[in-house]
Amino acid sequence: MSGAPGRARWAAAALPALHLVPAVTALPVVRRRFFPGLHGVGPPNRVALTFDDGPDPESTPRFLEVLAEHRVRATFFLLGVMLQRSPELGREIVAAGHEVAVHGWRHENLLLRGPAATVRELARARALITAVTGRAPRFLRPPYGMLTGAALLAAWRLGLEPVLWSAWGRDWTATATADTVYDTVRAGLSGGGTILLHDSSCSAAPGAWRAGLAALPRLLAECRRQGWAVGPLGGHRDGAR
């Protein structure tokens, strides 16, 4: 294989791999070892608290109430379609002192989206979040934690830092309870970790968010017991408490 035709064939073969290879970071063992920043690792004396899939008028206000009661701020990874339906709730999140970030436009696996559509939809979500809340998002977490080459390109163009998580609650399942969410998060959590919960069940079992909400006070109490300050993801990068 030589010359321009050969290079063109090589490029055509390489493009799918470039699109798919970053998806290996969906495996916690991979990112924990090789990509600690993507894994959400920060200073050992704090824990980042994050929520995906909102804003949802049925459930997000309840999470905001619990966070206010405990004087804790968090990062909310927003979906464009959800924010478009409830812009006032997006503004309420920011007014309460929380951080907003990009989750996507719809809750779709980016492995199934083409490069052009990926870049376009992430840009659309970022623009809407900025326009509605007055805050330019800093972070990107794609649905299902599936990064692609196109998503990384979009993140670079949009000035977004991809961050996944180090502990989650599996709080999207129909069988989730406060106890299972707490136990699952705690099993994977250590100082410097990033917790993933969901403040909406728009892409999960109906009402599954209630398990995460019920587990939240206990998780916050456990973090206090361990001496970990809980806050938004930006604090991991800024070294703030």
Side-chain angles (χ1 to χ4, degrees):
M1 184 181 295
S2 61
R7 289 194 295 271
R9 286 193 292 271
W10 181 90
L15 283 175
L18 292 173
H19 182 65
L20 297 175
V21 164
V24 72
T25 59
L27 299 172
V29 66
V30 171
R31 61 178 187 266
R32 181 168 54 243
R33 180 171 181 180
F34 298 107
F35 307 100
L38 182 62
H39 197 52
V41 175
N45 65 339
R46 75 184 311 276
V47 164
L49 178 62
T50 70
F51 297 93
D52 284 5
D53 293 359
D56 190 325
E58 179 187 16
S59 49
T60 301
R62 304 186 189 214
F63 285 87
L64 293 177
E65 288 174 5
V66 172
L67 294 173
E69 289 170 4
H70 290 264
R71 298 183 180 181
V72 168
R73 293 178 297 123
T75 300
F76 287 79
F77 284 86
L78 308 181
L79 289 171
V81 292
M82 299 295 284
L83 182 61
Q84 192 175 53
R85 295 169 189 163
S86 302
E88 69 290 342
L89 191 49
R91 289 188 284 269
E92 184 178 340
I93 290 171
V94 168
H98 302 292
E99 184 176 51
V100 287
V102 177
H103 196 35
W105 186 257
R106 295 180 178 83
H107 201 280
E108 296 178 320
N109 190 329
L110 295 185
L111 286 174
L112 307 179
R113 302 293 290 168
T118 295
V119 173
R120 181 175 62 250
E121 291 176 8
L122 292 180
R124 185 182 180 192
R126 182 190 183 280
L128 182 66
I129 291 170
T130 303
V132 168
T133 69
R135 300 290 175 85
R138 180 176 176 182
F139 299 105
L140 165 67
R141 175 184 290 154
Y144 308 105
M146 286 294 178
L147 280 169
T148 63
L152 291 175
L153 174 62
W156 176 74
R157 287 183 176 178
L158 299 170
L160 297 171
E161 178 184 348
V163 179
L164 299 184
W165 60 86
S166 59
W168 64 1
R170 297 188 65 83
D171 54 334
W172 63 89
T173 66
T175 58
T177 66
D179 286 341
T180 66
V181 172
Y182 174 84
D183 291 342
T184 305
V185 170
R186 190 64 191 91
L189 187 62
S190 58
T194 291
I195 298 172
L196 163 61
L197 295 174
H198 294 79
D199 64 306
S200 171
S201 296
C202 67
S203 60
W209 59 266
R210 297 179 187 279
L213 180 68
L216 185 55
R218 188 178 171 195
L219 286 170
L220 295 176
E222 173 63 11
C223 288
R224 286 194 297 271
R225 190 182 74 81
Q226 294 287 343
W228 301 328
V230 180
L233 191 54
H236 264 14
R237 298 298 179 259
D238 301 334
R241 291 196 54 163

